[in-house]
Amino acid sequence: AQRVTQPEKLLSVFKGAPVELKCNYSYSGSPELFWYVQYSRQRLQLLLRHISRESIKGFTADLNKGETSFHLKKPFAQEEDSAMYYCALAPTGGFKTIFGAGTRLFVKA
Amino acid sequence: KAGVTQTPRYLIKTRGQQVTLSCSPISGHRSVSWYQQTPGQGLQFLFEYFSETQRNKGNFPGRFSGRQFSNSRSEMNVSTLELGDSALYLCASSLTTGGTEAFFGQGTRLTVV
């Protein structure tokens, strides 16, 4: 069964501290993996996808097929990073994007 | 270009009524997905449409249905509303299906009283 697990509902860090939002997935094939972000009063939007292997707003995510993980990392958190983050899986050629339950990141001053 | 548009933005209905939500995708996008967002459950997949055909359906009762028109606009219908149906309903459009970026609307906030 396809599943995305985000074990932390809430993550609170101080400004300038490193942050890691965990994501584990269950899928038998080769999925496309994404991180979406929802800032307060804004619509859900794509943050990054694993195939682009780029850094967006200082965030990176590495796909670890052995551990079936796609953790989101940023070395120095900023207050404006406070938001709801969703990890998502889309089977290539499939018809359904599955989202994790989400992790609320709170960056304290 | 215009983003995904959902109407109405807010809706209050009473138990037992039915409701229809509308979603206009980004021009050129042929895939439309619907999600239910609640604080406790996060984003729950409802269904996806591509070229007027429902391609996949989530684990929701038959009271939840949808359709897609030839211009890719989509509607979602919920019949015999229950208090537990109160949620933010999000629509997302994609250029194609599977493995492509989803663009989300701002959602319709449904409150059932």
Side-chain angles (χ1 to χ4, degrees), chain A residues 9 32 34 36 38 41 43-44 46 49 86 90-91 93-97 99-101, chain B residues 3-4 35 37 40 42-43 45 48 55-56 90 97-102 104-106:
Chain A
K9 285 192 173 181
E32 297 278 355
F34 307 81
Y36 284 81
Q38 189 171 31
R41 298 188 189 86
R43 62 183 69 194
L44 194 60
L46 178 69
R49 55 193 303 177
Y86 290 94
F95 300 103
K96 176 179 174 179
T97 298
F99 286 79
Chain B
V4 178
Y35 295 86
Q37 186 179 34
L43 277 168
F45 174 80
E48 175 179 1
R55 301 288 179 157
N56 213 322
L90 293 174
T97 190
T100 57
E101 178 182 355
F104 284 84
Q106 292 197 303

Side-chain angles (χ1 to χ4, degrees), chain A residues 1-3 25-33 68 89-94 98:
Chain A
Q2 302 162 9
R3 179 179 295 175
Y25 67 90
S26 173
Y27 181 66
S28 57
S30 295
E32 297 278 355
L33 286 155
T68 58
L89 175 157
T92 306
I98 302 164

Side-chain angles (χ1 to χ4, degrees), chain A residues 8-81:
Chain A
E8 304 134 331
K9 285 192 173 181
L10 174 66
L11 188 61
S12 183
V13 301
F14 283 102
K15 176 183 173 181
V19 62
E20 179 178 75
L21 288 82
K22 291 184 168 50
C23 172
N24 289 90
Y25 67 90
S26 173
Y27 181 66
S28 57
S30 295
E32 297 278 355
L33 286 155
F34 307 81
W35 277 98
Y36 284 81
V37 60
Q38 189 171 31
Y39 301 103
S40 179
R41 298 188 189 86
Q42 294 187 27
R43 62 183 69 194
L44 194 60
Q45 59 188 290
L46 178 69
L47 179 62
L48 54 79
R49 55 193 303 177
H50 89 272
I51 62 169
S52 60
R53 303 183 68 82
E54 56 189 344
S55 173
I56 303 293
K57 298 184 179 182
F59 284 98
T60 59
D62 291 320
L63 176 60
N64 186 321
K65 291 186 178 181
E67 296 182 358
T68 58
S69 68
F70 187 55
H71 303 328
L72 183 67
K73 301 176 184 178
K74 185 169 182 176
F76 308 103
Q78 303 299 315
E79 288 181 73
E80 56 265 29
D81 296 329

Side-chain angles (χ1 to χ4, degrees), chain B residues 9-24:
Chain B
R9 290 289 311 279
Y10 303 92
L11 209 48
I12 300 176
K13 291 284 188 178
T14 56
R15 278 183 298 174
Q17 285 187 310
Q18 75 163 19
V19 66
T20 299
L21 313 181
S22 180
C23 172
S24 293

Side-chain angles (χ1 to χ4, degrees), chain B:
Chain B
K1 55 184 175 182
V4 178
T5 304
Q6 290 187 246
T7 56
R9 290 289 311 279
Y10 303 92
L11 209 48
I12 300 176
K13 291 284 188 178
T14 56
R15 278 183 298 174
Q17 285 187 310
Q18 75 163 19
V19 66
T20 299
L21 313 181
S22 180
C23 172
S24 293
I26 291 172
S27 178
H29 284 195
R30 296 170 62 192
S31 172
V32 173
S33 299
W34 288 89
Y35 295 86
Q36 182 192 66
Q37 186 179 34
T38 57
Q41 300 293 321
L43 277 168
Q44 301 287 307
F45 174 80
L46 280 155
F47 26 66
E48 175 179 1
Y49 288 87
F50 182 77
S51 294
E52 302 178 65
T53 302
Q54 187 181 91
R55 301 288 179 157
N56 213 322
K57 193 177 192 307
N59 296 323
F60 279 81
R63 301 184 295 107
F64 290 81
S65 63
R67 58 179 176 169
Q68 186 180 33
F69 302 95
S70 58
N71 60 359
S72 293
R73 189 177 71 84
S74 178
E75 286 182 349
M76 190 191 97
N77 185 276
V78 187
S79 62
T80 319
L81 284 165
E82 300 177 359
L83 295 179
D85 296 333
S86 295
L88 181 67
Y89 290 88
L90 293 174
C91 164
S93 78
S94 301
L95 193 57
T96 60
T97 190
T100 57
E101 178 182 355
F103 292 82
F104 284 84
Q106 292 197 303
T108 294
R109 171 77 60 189
L110 172 65
T111 302
V112 183
V113 297

